[in-house]
Amino acid sequence: MSLGRPVPTGLAVALLAAALVPSALAVASPAFAWLALALDVAVVVLCAVDFVRAPRASDVEVRREVEPILRSGVDNPVHLELTSRGSAPIRGELRDEAPVDVEAQGHRQPFCVAPGLRPTRVTYTVRPPARGDVRFGALHLRLLGPLGLCARQIRIPAEQVVKVYPDLTALTQEALALARASDAPAERPQRRPGEGREFESLREYRTGDDYRTIDWKASARRARTMVRVYQPERNQPVLLLVDCGRHMAGKVDGRRKLDHAVDAALRLAKVSLDAGDLVGVLAFASDVRAYLPPRKGREHLRLLTEALYRAEAALEESDYGRAYDFAFARSSRRSLVVLFTDLVDPDAAGTLVARTLMLRPRHLPLVASLLDEDLQAAATSVPGEPQDAYTRQAAARLEDEYRRTAVTLRDSGVLVVRAPARGFSAAAINTYLHVKSRGML
């Protein structure tokens, strides 16, 4: 095992700096030069002695504790446990090699470990920006000597790979309220009688209720006017298609469009599964990258997350026809087909529209795309320079292409959702709940 390398502390540097005073006075008397030399030699010798007496790697045990699955976009705790194997307290500084491109806070901290079997715990946080695998590196310790003049720096191999999943709990306020409403009947917003298709319950007539929902037989039995309340059907297939082509490689609000799409897809999957529907997923670019057929249950949400957490945008054209053919070659049951893609690209819009319209009327397509607020602002801004005018013209052309594509889809019965990144998940979930409440499937 390596003995480590010596690292002078701030105290040693201060003492060496103090030796500069007699060095400056050596001009007046040579005796000061000898004094400065003696001080320098004394500090160096004491540093050497301190390094020899400093704790060794065998005197301390370090262990990292981190969850095997981290959540993107939020702070995740990482715990480091230090245990002394010697009879004296161990002081020093600890630094953990956090994953590259991951925001870490507190990964470098001082510590003091008392002798005995009781460990000392140091905690810091990491915030992964996106899904995928992240790698923790080695642990670095600076173990102070008893004099505090020199530390022994050692490296402890502790390489570790963990997964990063989207944070399913980080729903926007609107989406979270809707998800809770589907879980807790007491908090459920009052539906208008007649919404949905499955009978849920009877309740007393209220002003404004549709007369067509009055149950005359129940009203006669109870001697008061009763209405039927319906709920959305369950066990309906919801197929989520996530575009992983070149259109999704761009960034909106500091994150790739694909990351926003995956987050929205998984949050919509959670709400759909909680509502009792069957959810499937298909990730594709020029070919199919991942596929899970529609299923239901909490365990299926974990499988959906596992299938999408490594999805990456490829610099290739997306083949919408191949994705649709692959999905519906296995099932022809009427489904809500949610396509997360980018409608701004005019080159791909023609193929997307043609193949999506072929799903009607057998299925109900929903196309969800991100609103790039910077692009929208550029399309309506007042140019101050000639270059700004060219930028505005290009942005306005892209916006016009989107509007034409969206109108074509809507006129053919396709649902279209476009929302900024911060409300993308909520917009998709709201549209799903609207479809369910209206019995559109």
Side-chain angles (χ1 to χ4, degrees):
M1 183 177 292
S2 174
L3 295 177
R5 64 182 181 88
V7 178
T9 65
L11 177 59
V13 174
L15 291 176
L16 290 174
L20 295 177
V21 176
S23 298
L25 297 176
V27 179
S29 172
F32 287 107
W34 290 103
L35 177 60
L37 179 61
L39 288 174
D40 290 341
V41 171
V43 172
V44 171
V45 171
L46 289 175
C47 284
V49 172
D50 207 25
F51 174 72
V52 172
R53 298 183 59 189
R56 300 174 181 268
S58 58
D59 295 330
V60 63
E61 178 183 353
V62 186
R63 185 166 60 93
R64 179 194 296 122
E65 290 184 358
V66 59
E67 294 293 332
I69 298 177
L70 304 180
R71 296 177 297 161
S72 64
V74 298
D75 290 332
N76 299 266
V78 180
H79 306 290
L80 303 172
E81 285 194 350
L82 299 96
T83 305
S84 174
R85 296 176 177 173
S87 58
I90 298 177
R91 295 179 300 115
E93 187 177 34
L94 169 65
R95 179 175 68 86
D96 193 0
E97 284 186 12
V100 180
D101 298 330
V102 170
E103 180 183 345
Q105 294 185 349
H107 62 294
R108 183 170 185 168
Q109 297 186 34
F111 67 88
C112 181
V113 183
L117 299 178
R118 185 173 182 179
T120 296
R121 171 169 284 201
V122 175
T123 301
Y124 72 96
T125 59
V126 293
R127 183 187 288 252
R131 303 159 290 103
D133 294 334
V134 295
R135 180 182 298 274
F136 287 86
L139 296 167
H140 300 268
L141 297 179
R142 284 187 179 178
L143 307 176
L144 287 175
L147 301 178
L149 295 175
C150 189
R152 185 190 304 274
Q153 180 156 317
I154 59 175
R155 178 183 182 276
I156 300 177
E159 286 72 14
Q160 184 178 2
V161 177
V162 299
K163 299 177 180 179
V164 178
Y165 283 0
D167 178 27
L168 298 180
T169 64
L171 301 175
T172 60
Q173 290 184 351
E174 302 97 309
L176 182 57
L178 291 169
R180 284 175 175 169
S182 66
D183 289 337
E187 300 175 6
R188 185 179 301 152
Q190 185 63 50
R191 303 186 188 93
R192 291 192 298 270
E195 291 188 347
R197 295 179 179 178
E198 291 186 354
F199 175 78
E200 182 184 40
S201 61
L202 290 171
R203 66 166 174 80
E204 193 168 352
Y205 174 83
R206 298 171 185 168
T207 303
D209 287 343
D210 192 337
Y211 292 119
R212 292 173 296 179
T213 63
I214 296 176
D215 190 320
W216 296 106
K217 291 183 178 180
S219 300
R221 287 194 303 267
R222 303 189 185 191
R224 59 182 184 274
T225 306
M226 305 298 295
V227 296
R228 291 185 294 269
V229 178
Y230 295 90
Q231 67 179 358
E233 290 187 49
R234 293 172 175 263
N235 299 314
Q236 294 180 311
V238 178
L239 183 59
L240 310 175
L241 280 77
V242 180
D243 185 355
C244 300
R246 65 179 181 86
H247 324 98
M248 305 298 284
K251 288 189 175 182
V252 174
D253 280 5
R255 299 180 66 204
R256 292 173 298 178
K257 294 180 181 179
L258 179 60
D259 292 328
H260 292 294
V262 169
D263 288 358
L266 290 176
R267 291 166 187 170
L268 176 56
K270 181 181 185 299
V271 174
S272 302
L273 291 171
D274 289 345
D277 283 335
L278 295 84
V279 181
V281 69
L282 188 149
F284 70 98
S286 61
D287 56 1
V288 175
R289 303 296 181 86
Y291 175 72
L292 281 176
R295 296 285 188 273
K296 61 189 303 184
R298 293 178 178 267
E299 176 64 17
H300 191 56
L301 179 62
R302 185 189 66 80
L303 297 177
L304 294 172
T305 307
E306 184 76 23
L308 288 181
Y309 94 96
R310 283 184 179 174
E312 295 291 341
L315 299 180
E316 58 191 33
E317 292 292 338
S318 300
D319 192 334
Y320 302 100
R322 176 176 290 186
Y324 288 144
D325 293 342
F326 184 94
F328 296 108
R330 288 152 176 78
S331 174
S332 59
R333 183 180 173 186
R334 179 170 171 81
S335 307
L336 173 63
V337 183
V338 185
L339 173 62
F340 294 93
T341 187
D342 186 7
L343 283 182
V344 175
D345 190 341
D347 297 331
T351 304
L352 184 152
V353 170
R355 292 308 304 259
T356 302
L357 294 185
M358 292 175 64
L359 298 177
R360 296 282 298 165
R362 179 65 181 174
H363 304 285
L364 178 59
L366 165 61
V367 178
S369 65
L370 279 164
L371 169 62
D372 189 336
E373 294 178 295
D374 292 336
L375 178 65
Q376 190 178 57
T380 57
S381 63
V382 177
E385 301 286 341
Q387 183 62 38
D388 297 337
Y390 290 116
T391 301
R392 174 179 176 175
Q393 182 180 13
R397 180 177 60 84
L398 291 175
E399 286 293 296
D400 289 341
E401 290 285 351
Y402 165 78
R403 280 190 287 269
R404 283 195 291 269
T405 302
V407 168
T408 302
L409 290 170
R410 288 193 179 103
D411 288 347
S412 302
V414 177
L415 302 176
V416 179
V417 172
R418 193 189 191 199
R422 62 180 176 274
F424 191 47
S425 299
I429 293 172
N430 283 332
T431 305
Y432 161 80
L433 293 177
H434 175 76
V435 168
K436 295 290 292 183
S437 66
R438 297 295 183 183
M440 298 170 67
L441 275 179

